[in-house]
Amino acid sequence: MHNDSAVALIQIKDILAARHLEAVAAAIAESQRPSTRKAYTAAWKRFQAWAQREGVPSLPAEPVTVAAYLVHRDAVGLSLATLAMDRKAISYFHRRAGIPTPTASEGVKMAIAGVRNRAAERGGPRRRQARGLREAELKAITDTAHIPRVYPSGRMESPGAARTRGAVDIAIVSVMRDALLRRQEAADLRWSDVEFRADRSSRVTIRRSKTSNKSAVLYLGVRATAALKRIRPDSPIPGARVFGVRRGRTISARIATVCREAGLGDGFSGHSPRVGMAQDLAAHGTGLVAIMNAGRWKSERMPAYYSRGEAAGMGAVARYYGGIR
């Protein structure tokens, strides 16, 4: 009887362990945004395909395999951001399988450092920076957004449709600039996340971002708040999306289109309002740390890169010439 009890106890422990493992696996899966999981999966599949062609295992992968893959990806012209995503995906799928990640090896770190040094010698990242949507561009959009457009079919947009669409376009760029929102953060914004204040400003709460699961409360000025109020339904459903879109790429496409229609040309995207506000803040004399906090950047590298032109304009030589009478 004693042996039967011991066996039953072991079985119960096994059942509990399995249940806990399932809960842990579910929690791990929920620790990432769906867009992040999708990006990791796509990057992992590319690595698997490359490893298969090279005749080497992908799981577990040797550090030299990962280093060779990243150097190969650099050689075909991919950006540092893409290589960073490759490395994170490889690490993630190894850790998920309970295998030590090869990306933490010194050899892989040195290969990444070499790739970064090459990029610096070439004059910076290959990826073309989105044009900043600054104060002047915002004014051009505000002045032209309500003009009816000609659709690809040749049909003319009605004045009423143009007013409605233009109001949304102005609200998108205004809110994204003031809050330095990423494109998916703008798409995910709900009316329940907006708080209008008596001083005509407002606050928006970002529940989760690309880099953090922590919420953040962000300031909107009078102009952006007024743009939001113009598109706010009389009785908004709290969970309804403010801009009526689900995907960040839709936000990006709208910004590119409204900029072209305003005569600003190409090069604008969903990142442009964020870049433009960082540049305007730097030109206004805002320090790099304050810009980092406003945009919720964890590193000074990208805001410094965006605002390097404005920083040069306030440097020692600029001050020297500014002081000459």
Side-chain angles (χ1 to χ4, degrees):
M1 182 66 68
H2 176 73
N3 289 339
D4 291 342
S5 298
V7 170
L9 182 60
I10 292 172
Q11 290 175 338
I12 290 171
K13 287 183 176 179
D14 288 342
I15 292 171
L16 287 174
R19 287 178 179 173
H20 286 305
L21 285 174
E22 289 175 3
V24 170
I28 291 173
E30 290 299 321
S31 70
Q32 294 174 331
R33 295 175 64 87
S35 58
T36 301
R37 292 198 298 272
K38 184 177 179 180
Y40 278 8
T41 300
W44 174 246
K45 287 181 178 178
R46 286 191 294 268
F47 174 64
Q48 285 183 308
W50 177 87
Q52 186 175 17
R53 289 195 301 270
E54 296 294 324
V56 293
S58 58
L59 190 70
E62 294 294 329
V64 66
T65 299
V66 177
Y69 178 66
L70 296 176
V71 171
H72 160 75
R73 298 276 280 170
D74 173 65
V76 299
L78 296 172
S79 69
L80 292 176
T82 300
L83 268 61
M85 175 60 71
D86 291 335
R87 185 182 180 189
K88 289 176 182 177
I90 293 168
S91 176
Y92 169 74
F93 279 94
H94 276 76
R95 287 186 288 106
R96 198 178 76 165
I99 301 171
T101 173
T103 63
S105 76
E106 194 62 29
V108 173
K109 291 179 181 178
M110 291 175 68
I112 289 291
V115 167
R116 288 200 185 104
N117 289 339
R118 286 182 190 174
E121 290 172 2
R122 290 190 298 259
R126 288 193 194 92
R127 183 176 63 181
R128 184 179 177 184
Q129 178 186 313
R131 290 178 63 185
L133 202 160
R134 304 186 64 171
E135 188 72 29
E137 284 75 28
L138 178 60
K139 183 179 186 306
I141 289 170
T142 303
D143 290 344
T144 60
H146 298 295
I147 298 174
R149 298 174 182 171
V150 179
Y151 295 114
S153 63
R155 185 171 60 88
M156 176 68 75
E157 185 180 31
S158 71
R163 282 193 298 272
T164 300
R165 187 261 313 144
V168 175
D169 286 338
I170 293 170
I172 287 173
V173 295
S174 300
V175 170
M176 290 182 71
R177 267 181 51 85
D178 276 16
L180 285 86
L181 296 185
R182 299 175 176 91
R183 62 182 193 176
Q184 191 59 48
E185 292 171 347
D188 290 340
L189 192 64
R190 316 293 175 121
W191 284 113
S192 54
D193 299 326
V194 180
E195 178 192 355
F196 294 104
R197 297 290 185 95
D199 63 358
R200 297 190 299 156
S201 71
S202 57
R203 307 291 186 271
V204 293
T205 300
I206 304 302
R207 302 297 172 184
R208 290 195 304 177
S209 72
K210 177 182 176 182
T211 59
S212 175
N213 285 328
K214 296 180 180 178
S215 63
V217 179
L218 308 171
Y219 175 86
L220 298 183
V222 173
R223 183 173 51 188
T225 300
L228 263 187
K229 286 184 175 180
R230 282 193 290 270
I231 68 168
R232 182 177 182 267
D234 292 334
S235 299
I237 300 171
R241 295 174 185 268
V242 171
F243 302 122
V245 300
R246 292 180 175 275
R247 297 180 181 273
R249 68 183 69 173
T250 305
I251 293 284
S252 193
R254 287 192 73 144
I255 290 173
T257 299
V258 76
C259 287
R260 282 196 300 270
E261 294 291 333
L264 300 174
D266 296 324
F268 293 93
S269 71
H271 208 49
S272 292
R274 184 170 164 86
V275 173
M277 180 55 87
Q279 292 170 337
D280 281 343
L281 289 173
H284 194 64
T286 306
L288 189 55
V289 173
I291 295 174
M292 284 174 58
N293 290 335
R296 294 159 292 132
W297 279 288
K298 292 185 176 180
S299 165
E300 66 181 24
R301 185 172 66 89
M302 292 314 296
Y305 178 67
Y306 297 147
S307 59
R308 64 196 186 282
E310 286 65 36
M314 293 185 293
V317 175
R319 290 197 301 271
Y320 167 77
Y321 281 110
I324 295 177
R325 300 297 178 185

